[in-house]
Structures are given as structure tokens and as C-alpha cells.
Amino acid sequence: MTDTLSPATTGATGRRAPSAGNLLPIIGVVVAAVAVVLPILVDDFAFNYLMSYTVITCILALTMHLLMGLAGVFSLGQAAMFGAGAYAAVVIIGQTGIDGTLGLFLVAAVGAVIGILMGLVTLRTTDLYLALTTLAFGYIVENLVRNSDWLGGPQGITGFDITFAGSYLDEPKLLYWVGLGFLYLLIVIIMSVRRSKVGRALMATRESPIAARSIGIDTRRYKLLAFGVAGAFAAVAGGLYTAYALVVDPSVFGIDLTLSVLAIAIVGGLRSMPGIIVVAIVLTYFRNSAETFGASQYVLLIYGLLIVLTLRFLPQGLGGLLTSPRVLAATRSIRARFHGGTQ
Amino acid sequence: METFVQLIAAGLVTGTIYALIAAGYAVLYTATGFVNFALGAQAMIGGYLTYVFLPELPLIVRVLLAIVVSILVSVASWAFFYRQVAEKDMLSAVIMSFGFSIVMAEFVRIIAGGIPLPAESPFGSGVQQIGILSISNHSMAVLVVGIVLFAALALVFRSRGGMSIRAMFQDKEMAETLGIPTNRVVIGLFALSGVFAAAAGILTGPILSMSPHMGTSLALIAFVGAILGGLGRISTAIIGAIMLGLLETLFAGYVSQDYRTTLVFAVFILVLIVRPAGVFGSKTKVKV
Amino acid sequence: MTVILEARGLTRKFGGLTAVDNADITVDEHALHGLIGPNGAGKTTFVNMITGVDSIDGGTVTFEGKDVTGLRSFHMASLGMARSFQTSQLFEEESVLSNVMAGRHRHIDYGFPHTFFYTPKTSRVERANRERCMALLEQLNLADDAKRLVAELPYGRRRLVEMARAIASEPSLLVLDEPAAGLPGSDVEALGETLVSLSKNGYTVLIIEHNIGLLMSICDGLTVLSEGRVIADGVPSVVRADPQVIEAYIGRSDDA
Ligand SMILES: Nc1ncnc2c1ncn2[C@@H]1O[C@H](COP(=O)(O)OP(=O)(O)OP(=O)(O)O)[C@@H](O)[C@H]1O
Ligand SMILES: [Mg+2]
């Protein structure tokens, strides 16, 4: 047969273009490596401090990518997971004195439980109702914490030490590295999941639950899995945040946080991990500069505007630009030229 | 007994305010499937226009201004933002309205500051004694305005024009072939929901005092009320919201003031689990 | 011949309407079994109950000798019952290949560690999975479209993708709800050939169709539903001659 000659098969399964497609992972690895040594290259306290906060934000934003982009679960419950993680870290690491090497994993477990609980409650709901139920979770946890003396009530808790491997985690470089470790772990998990059975199951659950079930995918189980993993990492982000802020109070559950990650996820593109990471870095930097220039009161206004304008004019976010048909067609034609293609 | 009567009255007042927003939701939802979260923020702006921004103008002008602005915001946000997004992805449009309500809240916060400001009721601070019930003029006004507006809403929807609107809810394409201008009707409904939002803001100001982010929680709680009764019909949404107001007030009075937020959202989650279509709603299933 | 699927007395009520009323069906292994009936007869509801998509108000379903009454649809599918839907249920924003690869979900079993950390084992299994799916697409003449998004495909191709996804799961019973609806004549012919070759390869197929000519020519057995009840059941030549069947269809054309 002429199979090997037919253009479609070569296009579909045949040789892969070695250009842009294979360059991306290399770029990714280089960037990742630079990120590791960055605090040594730029040994500036304020900058390192900002970097540690950026990493925490990245983790949180990627949990949103996992839930919304991969599992298609429009959850606004990140604040509940993050806040629960923050309080859990203060109790487990700060007050009980368990070292962060173990403690942060316990915090992750707490977050996973909260996430799964959220998942269980919302199993039968979709879309809007799911978004609001998860948002409601934040309000409930906030209300409970605000009224509990044990957790410091409205004033919250200060004067605790978060340690990691015996050192104080409020040292920005250490905090950054620990955060980066968790961020890389999450990135590896997301990338692996996307290319494997679970990733397809999540995709199926997102695109058509009915069809997913018709091919043997237990959609509930995969939704819960996504909630669990997202909860675990969001809680770790919250735990790390306490080392950054040195105080934890009910504001960790606030609308401010929900709005910030939502803005990052939407502007970056729910489906795009690179988009979200880049936007998380840019917006965190922007927010920080706004604070230094005394313009911090405009930050939330701008986040709100970003959400509205992105949804209106760029529904796939910036990351969507990378995969939009027009851009894809352009890359294809460039590749074809490189390979002497006739098209 | 006296406490009970007092709480019932207070609950009805709170519930009526929730119901004004809930009615706005249901009016839009039944026609378009869209939930406009910004109604809460529109209420907030209505309140600021009435009580904070322009104290030098006569009251009636401020109130009219609040209503007009709310209508304009409602209509313009649909025409220029929500509609285009809602056509492709309803959820995005709803999230957008959430973002938009933050924009409005932050805008007001930047102008007027974040500190809650007291608002003086246009109906004075008098209190009436009716049997064992003592009720403020303002609370009575809330109930009266609520009843008038809900009655007006019922009249609009019972009229011949209202019939064609309802026909439109049933089948949009059919309505269009019958020559009902669905677009114009939807614009009209957004304007209507704007009036209700403004009324909620004007009435709630003296009770809660004004703060920029009051709209966000008002929007959420009213939504809980609407789905408690059933968002699919205007009447059930209104009744649900009033029920939630009663429940919340009774809970605060007899059980705990501190945990009322927990109650409201626990009710929300419970309804979604047990009766996703609301207490009075009927279940609809997707056909495959 | 062994019986693979047996449903007894299945009943489904929607409010006052009994969509399926005490209906039986028996499908033999390796058979091509047709389910026909006028519009609204309850065919879709019937197979929805069998495949666990819809709940059952009465009756039992036995699949490969096991009582599977009331199991949820993903469970049925993992036991080897795959299906297509009357209104396409596809993963629209995904490629054809990815749709079909998802179909093999139940055959891929590496544990969670291999999912969370893309190991050599994951890579091996996934490559094999991809190759099998490509081979299937090749057979169904879909290979050209492997990388295209399903949403971009014309209607007929989409129907085929949905069938491919179901076949990919290598089901012991393949249920198809009106796969030929809306297809041009030539495609219907091709579909018929595909079904026959599936059956020759040992598949068991239960197919709902309005195209009675097609079913008469390829099916081993036919079941006829009308107003929720089974009015005839047997080999095509017998069913065709059944007066009740003729009446049900003539009655329908009178209405139309
Ligand atoms: N989810 C549902 N709720 C209410 N009624 C339903 C539902 N699903 C089906 N019905 C009704 O049950 C009856 C049988 O419908 P069904 O779809 O099973 O028929 P069908 O034989 O597949 O028809 P067609 O040939 O048009 O596909 C119809 O009267 C239909 O209106
Ligand atoms: Mg059917």
C-alpha cells in the first residue's frame, strides 16, 4: 500500500518536527534551572522575599489550572483550601512543633481532605452552582475560624515559628527553595497526568461526563482526585504563606485572594500552564510595585477589570493565544517551510 | 412571644431586601439563563448615590438618580459585555459579572473609602407600636416598597406583554418567528432588574450602613435565597429569599448571632445536595 | 449460541408516561441485533436502561451471566458494554485520536505513581495505546483526521468518531443509537459494511436504526418496540411479515 507516502499518516504519526515543538521542553528546563540558582545570582533580601511570594502564588494558581483547566471544575474554593492550609501549618508546625519536612505534608493532607470534602459536596452540581458552593465553603470556614478562640478569632495568630529541616522558613531564600520544590513537584504531576490515563479521564469528564461514563470512566472519582490534589497543594501554598507573612488571620479566606488567583488563572488562560505561571509572576511583580509606589489601592480594581476584559475579548486567556488556530496554522506553515514541505 | 414577633418582622424585612435582588436574578435567569452577580454591586452603588455621594441634592433626585444609574449599568453591561460572552459560555459570563461587581466595589472604595458609612433613612428614625410589635418606619417602608414592587412585577408578567415574555422563555426561536423582539425584551428585563437592585440598595443602606463590598455578600446571599425557593420561577425565587431572611434572623435571634454566615451557606449547600432545583422547583433532566 | 445480554420486563416511567413498558430483549453473542420502532417508541430509553445511563423502574438486566440491573453507566462500560448516543456525545475540543484513546480507558492499568510521574512504564503503555488507536482509525478510514479537533469535523465523520471511541474499548457488547441517521446513502452503505465486519470479528452489536432496509439486510435478530412495548422479536424475515409490525409502521406513516 501507499500508506507511508500518504501525507496524512506522516502528519499524524510520522516524524515530528524538531523545531519549536522540541525546543519548548529545553527552554522549560533551562528556565527551571535558572529559577533554582536565581537567589544566589541576585542576593537581595527584598527581591528574594518577593520571589518566595511569587512561588507561593504560582502554586496556588496552578491548583486552579488543575481544577478548572484540566478537570473542568469551576471552583472558587481556593481561598478555603489555602486558608485551611495556613491555619493547619500554624497549628501543626508553629504550635505543635513538628518540623516542616513532615509538617508540610501533614498540611497537604489537611488540604486534600478539605478539597475532597468540597468535591463530595459538589459532586451533583455543575458550573455556576459548583462555583458558588465552593465559594460558599470559603465563607463558612472564614466564619467558623473568626469565631473560634482556639484559632485566635478575628485577630488571628502571631508569634509562631515555621521551621523546615531545623531552619526558620521565614528566611526568604529557604522559603523560596522549598516553595520552588513544591511548585516543581506540582508541575511534574500536572505534566505527567496530562499525558496519561488520568489526564484523559479528566479531559473526558470535563468535555462530556455522559460520554466519559459510557467508556468506563468513573467521573466522580476523577473529580475527587482533582479536588484532592488541588486541595493538597493549595494548602501547602497557604502553609508557606504563613512563613512569609508571620501572621495568620481570617483574611486568608478573603475575596481578595480568590480574586487574585482568579485573575491570574483567567488572564493566563485556564488551560495553559505556561500562561498561568507567566501571568502569576507578572501580576505578583505588578502588585508589589504598586505597593512600593503607593498605588496598592488600585490593585483589586485592576484585577477585576482584567477578569472582565479578558473574558470579553480573550476568552482563552494569554495562553490561548499559543494554541489558537491562527497561531497554530502559522507555526505549521513555518515548520513546513523548514522541512521543505510542499504545503 | 414578643421576641418571636419581633424576629419575624425583622426577618421579613431582611428577606424582602434579599428578595428584591433574587427577583432580579430570576427575571434575568428565566429569560436568558444568565445570573447577574453584579446586581448586588448595583445595589451598593444605588445606596452610595442615595446616601453618600450627593448629599446636597434633594432626596427624590438622589433616589431617581440611583435608579437610573442602576438601570444604565444593568443594560450597558449586558449589551456590551455579558451578552457576547453568554452566547458562547454562560459560566464565563457569570464569572464576568462577579469580576464586574468587584470592579464597582473597588471603584466606590477608591472614591469613598472602605470604612462603613452610616445612612439616614429617608423615612426618619421613628418607631411605630403595633400591638406587641414595635417596628421602625424604615422597616415598614421596606415591607411596603417590597410589596408594591412585587405586585407591580406580577402585573407586568400577567399582562399581555408579559404573556409574550413568558412565551419567549418557553421557546426563543418560536417567539422570534412570532415577531416578539427578544432582544428588546431582554434589554427591558435588564432595566427592570436594575430598578430592583437600586431599590434593594436604597432600602438596605440605613439597616446595614454603606460599605463598598456589601454588594458582594448581598449578591451571594440573595442567590442562596433564590435557589432555596427555585431560580426557575420568579415567584419561588422571591419566596425563597424571604424564607432565607426569616431563617437567618430567627437563627441569629435564638441560636447564634456569630454563626449566621455559616447557616446561610450551609443552607445553600444543603439545598444543592438535597433539592438542586429548589424547595418548590421541579427537577429537569438532560436528555441523551 | 450463548446469550450475552438479557433484559426482562424493563420498565421506565416519566411522570404519567410509560416510555418503556415491560420490555424484553435477548442478544446472542457475536450477533448483530437490531432494535427498531416508530419515533418515540422508547428505543433510546430502553438502551439507556440497559447501559445504565437511565435509571430503571422495573425489570432486570443480565449481562454475560451476571445480574447488572441498576449499575451506573461507567460500571457497565467497565464490564464491557460500550455505546454511542443518538445525539453525539463527543469530546469536542479534543483531537479525534484523543477521543479514541480515551475509549481505551478500561484497558490501561498502571497505578497512580505512573500517572503522577511519567515513568518508562507509562511511556510504554501509552505508546502501545496510541498505536492501537491509530490502527483502529486506519481501519475506519479516520486516520487522516486523527489530529483534527472533533468540533471541526463534518457530521458524518463525527458519528464515526463516536463509534470508533466505543469500539476502542473493545466491548463485548457494542450498543449504537441510530448511527446512520443523517448520513448520505454512500456512507450508510459503508457503515453497513463496517458493522458486518465487526460482527465477523467477533463483536456483538445492538443497533437502533430507522433505516429498516439496512437492518433487514445485515441483522441476525430484530426486536420491534412500539409505544414502549415489544411487539415482535425474531429473525428479520419473520419480523418483516408480522402484521403488528406492519400496522405500527403504517400507522406511523398515516400520522406523518
Ligand atoms: N428524560 C425524559 N423525560 C421525559 N420524557 C422522556 C424522557 N426521555 C424520553 N421521554 C419520552 O419517552 C418516550 C420514548 O422516548 P425515546 O427517546 O426512548 O424514543 P425513541 O424510540 O428513541 O425515539 P426516536 O426514534 O425519536 O429516537 C417519548 O415519548 C419521549 O418523549
Ligand atoms: Mg431514540
Side-chain angles (χ1 to χ4, degrees):
Chain A
M1 285 279 284
T2 55
D3 265 352
T4 43
L5 295 178
S6 98
T9 27
T10 38
T13 54
R15 64 206 153 82
R16 259 194 248 135
S19 56
N22 285 4
L23 225 58
L24 270 182
I26 298 172
I27 295 174
V29 170
V30 170
V31 170
V34 171
V36 173
V37 293
L38 196 57
I40 300 172
L41 299 179
V42 189
D43 191 2
D44 173 73
F45 185 86
F47 185 66
N48 294 347
Y49 195 57
L50 175 64
M51 279 162 62
S52 66
Y53 183 67
T54 309
V55 165
I56 294 170
T57 311
C58 281
I59 296 177
L60 192 62
L62 281 191
T63 65
M64 224 149 183
H65 165 62
L66 178 65
L67 272 177
M68 300 206 210
L70 298 193
V73 177
F74 209 104
S75 158
L76 296 180
Q78 255 60 21
M81 299 165 173
F82 180 89
Y87 274 93
V90 169
V91 171
I92 294 171
I93 306 173
Q95 296 181 337
T96 315
I98 297 171
D99 188 77
T101 40
L102 172 64
L104 282 175
F105 287 94
L106 296 177
V107 168
V110 171
V113 170
I114 302 256
I116 290 172
L117 212 63
M118 232 184 251
L120 281 173
V121 165
T122 52
L123 266 186
R124 286 179 55 188
T125 62
T126 48
D127 288 1
L128 171 62
Y129 286 170
L130 189 142
L132 294 172
T133 316
T134 49
L135 187 63
F137 249 83
Y139 277 85
I140 291 182
V141 186
E142 200 258 9
N143 188 233
L144 294 178
V145 168
R146 188 177 286 278
N147 286 298
S148 98
D149 298 333
W150 176 54
L151 294 173
Q155 275 76 46
I157 310 173
T158 46
F160 50 80
D161 287 318
I162 304 289
T163 56
F164 190 89
S167 316
Y168 291 119
L169 200 53
D170 54 8
E171 207 287 303
K173 268 189 240 168
L174 179 62
L175 182 58
Y176 171 74
W177 276 319
V178 173
L180 201 64
F182 278 101
L183 178 62
Y184 285 177
L185 181 64
L186 181 57
I187 290 177
V188 166
I189 289 179
I190 290 178
M191 284 174 54
S192 303
V193 160
R194 275 168 73 150
R195 295 161 64 196
S196 72
K197 171 182 172 164
V198 173
R200 274 193 306 273
L202 290 175
M203 171 281 282
T205 305
R206 171 187 82 219
E207 295 280 320
S208 165
I210 293 169
R213 287 191 287 267
S214 86
I215 46 178
I217 294 167
D218 183 351
T219 50
R220 299 183 179 200
R221 187 178 145 184
Y222 287 99
K223 262 192 197 168
L224 290 182
L225 179 73
F227 264 111
V229 175
F233 279 92
V236 167
L240 296 174
Y241 176 79
T242 58
Y244 168 87
L246 296 174
V247 51
V248 56
D249 62 45
S251 72
V252 288
F253 299 105
I255 201 88
D256 180 336
L257 183 95
T258 308
L259 189 73
S260 314
V261 268
L262 191 65
I264 291 169
I266 287 178
V267 175
L270 295 179
R271 302 279 280 276
S272 165
M273 185 156 73
I276 289 182
I277 293 176
V278 168
V279 172
I281 294 169
V282 170
L283 282 191
T284 311
Y285 187 76
F286 157 76
R287 188 174 194 148
N288 187 263
S289 330
E291 265 156 33
T292 25
F293 291 112
S296 61
Q297 65 163 333
Y298 298 106
V299 167
L300 285 188
L301 177 72
I302 289 167
Y303 281 13
L305 279 173
L306 280 175
I307 291 178
V308 172
L309 295 177
T310 309
L311 287 175
R312 173 70 175 83
F313 297 107
L314 201 64
Q316 305 293 316
L318 292 176
L321 287 179
L322 295 173
T323 50
S324 82
R326 213 183 298 165
V327 178
L328 279 187
T331 18
R332 248 200 307 267
S333 80
I334 291 169
R335 269 187 213 175
R337 223 172 296 153
F338 270 125
H339 290 278
T342 44
Q343 284 159 307
Chain B
M1 185 61 199
E2 227 182 289
T3 338
F4 182 71
V5 173
Q6 215 62 51
L7 285 174
I8 291 286
L12 284 176
V13 171
T14 315
T16 302
I17 288 169
Y18 296 163
L20 288 169
I21 302 281
Y25 286 147
V27 163
L28 300 180
Y29 181 80
T30 45
T32 61
F34 170 63
V35 176
N36 186 5
F37 259 94
L39 285 183
Q42 286 171 222
M44 178 271 303
I45 289 195
Y48 271 87
L49 283 170
T50 309
Y51 301 113
V52 182
F53 288 151
L54 308 155
E56 63 282 356
L57 293 181
L59 178 72
I60 182 73
V61 177
R62 285 180 272 147
V63 167
L64 283 178
L65 194 65
I67 293 172
V68 169
V69 168
S70 182
I71 290 176
L72 286 180
V73 170
S74 235
V75 170
S77 58
W78 168 254
F80 299 118
F81 286 94
Y82 305 145
R83 188 169 60 83
Q84 292 84 347
V85 177
E87 275 163 7
K88 285 182 230 118
D89 182 3
M90 196 51 84
L91 183 61
S92 287
V94 178
I95 298 299
M96 204 166 154
S97 74
F98 176 72
F100 198 51
S101 77
I102 303 286
V103 170
M104 286 192 261
E106 285 296 309
F107 185 70
V108 168
R109 192 181 59 79
I110 289 166
I111 297 175
I115 305 151
L117 302 169
E120 213 173 286
S121 169
F123 309 98
S125 55
V127 175
Q128 304 296 320
Q129 193 72 32
I130 307 171
I132 51 172
L133 172 70
S134 58
I135 184 169
S136 70
N137 286 351
H138 185 78
S139 295
M140 289 229 282
V142 171
L143 295 176
V144 170
V145 172
I147 289 169
V148 168
L149 283 177
F150 295 143
L153 192 62
L155 282 181
V156 168
F157 276 81
R158 292 269 151 77
S159 70
R160 231 170 44 136
M163 289 298 182
S164 64
I165 297 175
R166 274 195 297 191
M168 189 188 107
F169 299 168
Q170 307 294 330
D171 190 339
K172 220 169 177 163
E173 275 167 38
M174 183 61 103
E176 261 156 23
T177 52
L178 287 177
I180 298 168
T182 53
N183 252 332
R184 240 189 295 158
V185 173
V186 169
I187 294 276
L189 294 177
F190 267 86
L192 192 66
S193 72
V195 175
F196 276 74
I202 296 166
L203 292 174
T204 201
I207 301 176
L208 291 178
S209 72
M210 305 300 307
S211 66
H213 279 281
M214 65 191 283
T216 320
S217 50
L218 184 59
L220 263 179
I221 297 176
F223 183 75
V224 174
I227 65 148
L228 175 63
L231 191 54
R233 268 167 49 198
I234 299 172
S235 55
T236 54
I238 290 174
I239 294 170
I242 293 176
M243 271 169 36
L244 186 69
L246 281 170
L247 196 66
E248 189 191 332
T249 314
L250 289 174
F251 180 85
Y254 286 120
V255 186
S256 158
Q257 174 71 35
D258 294 337
Y259 290 103
R260 61 199 286 178
T261 311
T262 302
L263 172 88
V264 169
F265 291 109
V267 165
F268 179 51
I269 290 174
L270 215 69
V271 173
L272 283 182
I273 294 175
V274 183
R275 287 199 62 102
V279 174
F280 310 113
S282 58
K283 210 167 147 186
T284 49
K285 241 187 124 184
V286 193
K287 241 179 99 171
V288 281
Chain C
M1 250 196 255
T2 41
V3 169
I4 188 165
L5 172 79
E6 184 166 26
R8 286 281 160 266
L10 280 190
T11 302
R12 180 75 172 106
K13 299 192 176 92
F14 296 113
L17 172 88
T18 306
V20 178
D21 189 359
N22 209 7
D24 299 341
I25 196 168
T26 305
V27 179
D28 291 326
E29 200 166 6
H30 310 310
L32 243 170
H33 195 104
L35 178 59
I36 60 173
N39 284 105
K43 306 176 294 293
T44 298
T45 309
F46 193 32
V47 301
N48 278 354
M49 283 191 285
I50 291 171
T51 54
V53 171
D54 207 340
S55 56
I56 297 178
D57 290 332
T60 57
V61 183
T62 313
F63 180 58
E64 294 186 313
K66 286 185 291 278
D67 180 14
V68 294
T69 315
L71 291 187
R72 284 161 46 82
S73 91
F74 80 87
H75 201 157
M76 293 287 198
S78 62
L79 292 176
M81 219 189 255
R83 65 168 294 175
S84 70
F85 294 86
Q86 185 168 354
T87 42
S88 295
Q89 301 288 329
L90 286 158
F91 311 131
E92 300 282 345
E93 299 298 319
E94 293 287 324
S95 71
V96 170
L97 181 61
S98 139
N99 267 265
V100 175
M101 281 175 75
R104 291 187 50 77
H105 181 82
R106 73 190 188 102
H107 295 293
I108 297 171
D109 52 347
Y110 38 71
F112 274 124
H114 298 286
T115 289
F116 281 3
F117 305 97
Y118 202 85
T119 62
K121 181 176 179 183
T122 325
S123 163
R124 208 165 51 239
V125 175
E126 285 303 327
R127 189 157 350 104
N129 183 21
R130 175 182 300 263
E131 274 159 18
R132 283 190 88 124
C133 290
M134 276 313 296
L136 174 66
L137 289 179
E138 207 85 54
Q139 278 172 21
L140 292 173
N141 276 323
L142 273 170
D144 294 4
D145 294 327
K147 289 274 155 112
R148 290 181 65 188
L149 292 192
V150 167
E152 297 171 353
L153 295 182
Y155 177 80
R157 308 245 90 191
R158 292 162 52 83
R159 300 296 296 175
L160 205 53
V161 172
E162 195 171 359
M163 214 167 98
R165 186 180 63 197
I167 297 171
S169 77
E170 296 172 30
S172 28
L173 174 66
L174 177 63
V175 182
L176 303 171
D177 194 346
E178 300 198 19
L183 294 190
S186 55
D187 284 6
V188 174
E189 233 165 76
L191 177 74
E193 280 162 28
T194 307
L195 291 173
V196 170
S197 84
L198 278 174
S199 150
K200 281 205 188 106
N201 285 318
Y203 278 95
T204 311
V205 183
L206 172 60
I207 173 175
I208 301 181
E209 248 317 319
H210 279 300
N211 189 329
I212 296 175
L214 174 71
L215 288 199
M216 288 289 174
S217 63
I218 63 171
C219 281
D220 306 303
L222 272 181
T223 302
V224 187
L225 269 184
S226 177
E227 292 172 9
R229 269 173 244 252
V230 175
I231 56 167
D233 186 283
V235 295
S237 54
V238 174
V239 168
R240 188 207 301 263
D242 191 302
Q244 261 188 297
V245 175
I246 294 166
E247 203 205 292
Y249 276 88
I250 291 172
R252 186 177 70 123
S253 48
D254 276 357
D255 289 347

